[in-house]
C-alpha cells in the first residue's frame, strides 16, 4: 500500500461543505446522527433526541435569518460527561447531577457552540474519569462495538462508542493517563491527546490538574484534520508531509511491556509497510519515558489531587466514588506534603529532559502500541483485584506521555486474530501537534483510513 492508493479524503470535510451549500440539510444530518445510535452499546450518559432536533432547527433558523454559519455548522459532536454542556445534566460519571455551578458550558464547549456544532449528548464515563477500563466494578459502562462482551477502554469510553456508531463525527473527551487514546485504539478510532494547556480546562471536572488534558476522537486522521482545519486551528500542519524520510523511534524498552498475542505482530507488520513506503524505523531506548512510567506506577499524584478537589468543591460526592476509587483516594492521605512536592518536581524535570532527549535522537516521533492489552472481557474484570491489575497494565504505554506533558495520537493499524482493533501510538514533545498531525496523516495515507484498514464493527 502507498499514499497513492489511499488519497487523503474525508467524509467529514465533504459533509461540512454540503452543509455550507445547503444549510437546511442539517435537519437530515441530525436525523442520521440520531438513527446511527446503537442503544445496546450504551455510549451515552444523557441522550435526548428531541433536544438534538430542537438544536438543529435553531441552527437552521439562524442560517435562514442571514447569520453567518460557523465553521462547524451542523457537525455532530458528543461531549464526555465531565465537560460542562449547558442544558444537559453533567454527572461526571456519578449517579447524581453535579451542583449548578457545573451545569453550564465549559470554555471548550462554548467554543464548539460558537463554531456551530450540533451537540448529540453527553457520553458515558466512570466516576470522575478515574479508571481506564471503561466500566465500573458493577459492570456499568459502554460495550465494545467489536465484541460487546468486552470493555472498550476508558475513561472516554462513551466518546469512542459515539464515533464508532456514527452518532457523532467528533467526540470531545479528556485524557489524564490514556483516557482518549486507549478507547480510540480499542474501538478502531483515531484519538488525539493534546498537550496539557493547549485547550482551556475551565468547566471540565478535574481528575488531576497536573496531568489532565483535553482530546478528541474521530473516525480518521483525515476527519480530524478536516474538522480542525475548518476553523483555522493553529495545530493544522502548514503543508502535507511525505512519508519518505519520516523517522520513527520504535520504543523497545520500558515502559513498553510484553503485549498480548497479536498486538506486537500487527505493529511490526504496519511498520514494515511504512518502511517499504519510505519511512525509517529505528529501535530506541528512552530513559525519561522509563522514569516517567516509574513515577506513574509510584502512585499518589492523581489521587491526592482528586482528593483535594473533592474536599474543596464536591465533598458530598465522595460517597459516589465506588470502592476502588474510594480506596485510592484514602491512600492518597498517606502521601506527605514533601512527597507530593517531590513528585511535582520530578514531573517538571522529566518533561524538560525528555524534550531535549527527543531532539537529540533526531526522530520525528516515538512509537509503540497504544496499549499492551486487548480489550478485556467484562466478566474478567469483575473482581476488584483483576480490575485493578488490568487498569494499571492497560495504561503502561500511555501514562508516561502525560507525565512528560507531551502530545500523542493513536490510530488503528490492524485487527488481532479474533478481530479486535489494535492501535499505534505516536508521541511527541508538548505543543508539537502540527508535526504530530502531519506524521499521522502521512501514515494513514500509507496504511489506509480505519474503515479501509479494519472494516466496520458488526451492528446488532
Amino acid at each position: 500500500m502507498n499514499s497513492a492508493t489511499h488519497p487523503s479524503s474525508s467524509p467529514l470535510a465533504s459533509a461540512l461543505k454540503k452543509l455550507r451549500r445547503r444549510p437546511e440539510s442539517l435537519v437530515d444530518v441530525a436525523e442520521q446522527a440520531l438513527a446511527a445510535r446503537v442503544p445496546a452499546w450504551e455510549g451515552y450518559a444523557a441522550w435526548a433526541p428531541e433536544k438534538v432536533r430542537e438544536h438543529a432547527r435553531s441552527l437552521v433558523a439562524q442560517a435562514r435569518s442571514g447569520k453567518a454559519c460557523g465553521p462547524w455548522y451542523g457537525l455532530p459532536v458528543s461531549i464526555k460527561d465531565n465537560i460542562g454542556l449547558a442544558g444537559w445534566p453533567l454527572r461526571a460519571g456519578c449517579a447524581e447531577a453535579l451542583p449548578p455551578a457545573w451545569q453550564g458550558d465549559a470554555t471548550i464547549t462554548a467554543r464548539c457552540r460558537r463554531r456551530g456544532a450540533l451537540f448529540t449528548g453527553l457520553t458515558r464515563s466512570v466516576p470522575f474519569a478515574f479508571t481506564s477500563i471503561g466500566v465500573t466494578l458493577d459492570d456499568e459502562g459502554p460495550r465494545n462495538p467489536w465484541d460487546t462482551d468486552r470493555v472498550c477502554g476508558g475513561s472516554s469510553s462513551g466518546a469512542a462508542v459515539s464515533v464508532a456508531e456514527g452518532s457523532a463525527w467528533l467526540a470531545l473527551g479528556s485524557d489524564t493517563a490514556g483516557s482518549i487514546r486507549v478507547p480510540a485504539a480499542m474501538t478502531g478510532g483515531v484519538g488525539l491527546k493534546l498537550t496539557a494547556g493547549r485547550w482551556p480546562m475551565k468547566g471540565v471536572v478535574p481528575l488531576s490538574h497536573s496531568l489532565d488534558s483535553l482530546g478528541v476522537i474521530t473516525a480518521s486522521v483525515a476527519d480530524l484534520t478536516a474538522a480542525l482545519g475548518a476553523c483555522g486551528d493553529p495545530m493544522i500542519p502548514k503543508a502535507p508531509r511525505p512519508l519518505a524520510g519520516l523517522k520513527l523511534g520504535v520504543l523497545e524498552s520500558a515502559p513498553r511491556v510484553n503485549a498480548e498475542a497479536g498486538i506486537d505482530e500487527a505493529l511490526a507488520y504496519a511498520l514494515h509497510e511504512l518502511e517499504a513506503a519510505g519511512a525509517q524505523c529505528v529501535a530506541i531506548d528512552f530513559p525519561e519515558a522509563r522514569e516517567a512510567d516509574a513515577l506513574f506506577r509510584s502512585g499518589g499524584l492523581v489521587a491526592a489531587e482528586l482528593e483535594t478537589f473533592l474536599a474543596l468543591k464536591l465533598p458530598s460526592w465522595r460517597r459516589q466514588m465506588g470502592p476502588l476509587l474510594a480506596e485510592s483516594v484514602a491512600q492518597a492521605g498517606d502521601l506527605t506534603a514533601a512527597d507530593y512536592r517531590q513528585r511535582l518536581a520530578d514531573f517538571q524535570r522529566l518533561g524538560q529532559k525528555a524534550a531535549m532527549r527527543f531532539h537529540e535522537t533526531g526522530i520525528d516521533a516515538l512509537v509503540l502500541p497504544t496499549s499492551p492489552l486487548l480489550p478485556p472481557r467484562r466478566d474478567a474484570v469483575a473482581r476488584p483485584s483483576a480490575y485493578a491489575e488490568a487498569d494499571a497494565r492497560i495504561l503502561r504505554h500511555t501514562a508516561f506521555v502525560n507525565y512528560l506533558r507531551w502530545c500523542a495520537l493513536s490510530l488503528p493499524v490492524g485487527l488481532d486474530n479474533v478481530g479486535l482493533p489494535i492501535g499505534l501510538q505516536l508521541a511527541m514533545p508538548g505543543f508539537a501537534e502540527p508535526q504530530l498531525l502531519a506524521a499521522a496523516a502521512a501514515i494513514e495515507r500509507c496504511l489506509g483510513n480505519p474503515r479501509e484498514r479494519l472494516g466496520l464493527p458488526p451492528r446488532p
Side-chain angles (χ1 to χ4, degrees):
M1 298 181 184
N2 55 45
S3 58
T5 306
H6 296 288
S8 179
S9 60
S10 164
L12 185 151
S14 300
L16 286 180
K17 288 179 182 178
K18 180 180 178 181
L19 283 164
R20 284 194 290 272
R21 291 195 306 268
R22 296 180 53 229
E24 68 278 3
S25 65
L26 172 53
V27 173
D28 294 331
V29 169
E31 291 301 329
Q32 291 166 8
L34 293 171
R37 184 195 175 215
V38 181
W41 293 350
E42 304 178 37
Y44 283 87
W47 175 258
E50 281 308 312
K51 189 175 293 189
V52 177
R53 294 186 178 104
E54 181 182 353
H55 188 191
R57 290 192 292 267
S58 173
L59 288 170
V60 171
Q62 290 178 31
R64 286 175 175 167
S65 70
K67 293 183 180 179
C69 297
W72 280 6
Y73 175 81
L75 176 68
V77 175
S78 68
I79 306 295
K80 184 179 179 179
D81 183 30
N82 67 338
I83 303 172
L85 179 62
W88 295 80
L90 190 71
R91 296 185 176 90
C94 298
E96 300 174 15
L98 300 189
W102 293 97
Q103 298 302 329
D105 277 346
T107 299
I108 190 62
T109 45
R111 182 181 295 177
C112 294
R113 194 182 297 278
R114 291 192 299 271
R115 292 174 177 173
L118 173 69
F119 297 119
T120 60
L122 292 175
T123 55
R124 296 183 73 174
S125 177
V126 293
F128 300 107
F130 188 74
T131 59
S132 64
I133 303 298
V135 299
T136 66
L137 275 169
D138 296 325
D139 197 32
E140 292 291 328
R143 295 183 175 274
N144 194 309
W146 296 85
D147 181 347
T148 55
D149 288 332
R150 296 177 182 265
V151 306
C152 52
S155 60
S156 302
S157 49
V161 168
S162 72
V163 171
E165 69 188 5
S167 61
W169 299 352
L170 181 147
L172 185 63
S174 63
D175 189 311
T176 305
S179 290
I180 283 284
R181 292 156 286 161
V182 166
M186 291 186 170
T187 58
V190 170
L192 170 65
K193 171 239 176 297
L194 299 171
T195 306
R198 166 67 82 168
W199 283 355
M201 297 294 294
K202 184 177 180 181
V204 180
V205 181
L207 172 55
S208 166
H209 65 262
S210 296
L211 299 169
D212 290 344
S213 59
L214 288 170
V216 294
I217 298 174
T218 58
S220 67
V221 177
D223 277 358
L224 174 58
T225 54
L228 296 175
C231 52
D233 194 290
M235 293 189 293
I236 290 299
K238 293 182 179 179
R241 169 161 194 164
L243 185 65
L246 183 69
K247 188 175 182 180
L248 303 176
V250 183
L251 187 64
E252 294 194 345
S253 57
R256 185 169 175 176
V257 297
N258 292 331
E260 289 189 315
I263 294 178
D264 286 336
E265 293 83 352
L267 179 67
Y269 185 79
L271 293 178
H272 176 74
E273 290 180 76
L274 295 175
E275 285 188 301
Q280 182 182 1
C281 299
V282 296
I284 193 168
D285 177 49
F286 213 96
E288 287 75 21
R290 186 161 54 248
E291 291 183 58
D293 173 63
L295 186 59
F296 159 65
R297 290 186 292 119
S298 69
L301 185 61
V302 173
E305 292 185 343
L306 177 60
E307 162 65 12
T308 299
F309 165 73
L310 292 174
L312 293 175
K313 301 294 184 181
L314 297 172
S316 64
W317 266 258
R318 294 185 186 187
R319 67 181 185 277
Q320 300 190 45
M321 292 190 296
L324 192 65
L325 177 52
E327 180 182 353
S328 296
V329 169
Q331 291 175 352
D334 298 332
L335 188 71
T336 67
D339 287 340
Y340 176 72
R341 287 194 298 269
Q342 184 60 53
R343 277 172 169 74
L344 288 181
D346 292 341
F347 174 54
Q348 297 293 337
R349 173 185 57 81
L350 277 175
Q352 296 169 358
K353 285 181 60 180
M356 293 176 60
R357 172 89 59 184
F358 182 90
H359 294 299
E360 288 170 357
T361 63
I363 61 174
D364 294 305
L366 187 68
V367 302
L368 69 165
T370 306
S371 176
L373 286 190
L374 297 170
R377 292 184 59 87
R378 297 168 76 99
D379 56 8
V381 292
R383 292 179 293 104
S385 59
Y387 188 102
E389 181 181 352
D391 183 43
R393 185 169 170 79
I394 212 170
L395 297 174
R396 287 297 300 276
H397 291 176
T398 55
F400 79 90
V401 174
N402 298 70
Y403 278 78
L404 296 178
R405 297 182 75 82
W406 282 16
C407 55
L409 182 145
S410 175
L411 74 165
V413 294
L415 298 171
D416 75 344
N417 295 336
V418 296
L420 299 173
I422 294 167
L424 165 68
Q425 178 181 222
L426 294 85
M428 296 185 188
F431 297 100
E433 281 90 350
Q435 295 83 1
L436 178 64
L437 289 170
I443 290 172
E444 182 173 273
R445 287 194 298 271
C446 175
L447 300 181
N449 64 42
R451 177 173 292 191
E452 294 165 334
R453 190 79 179 176
L454 311 179
L456 293 173
R459 297 178 77 90

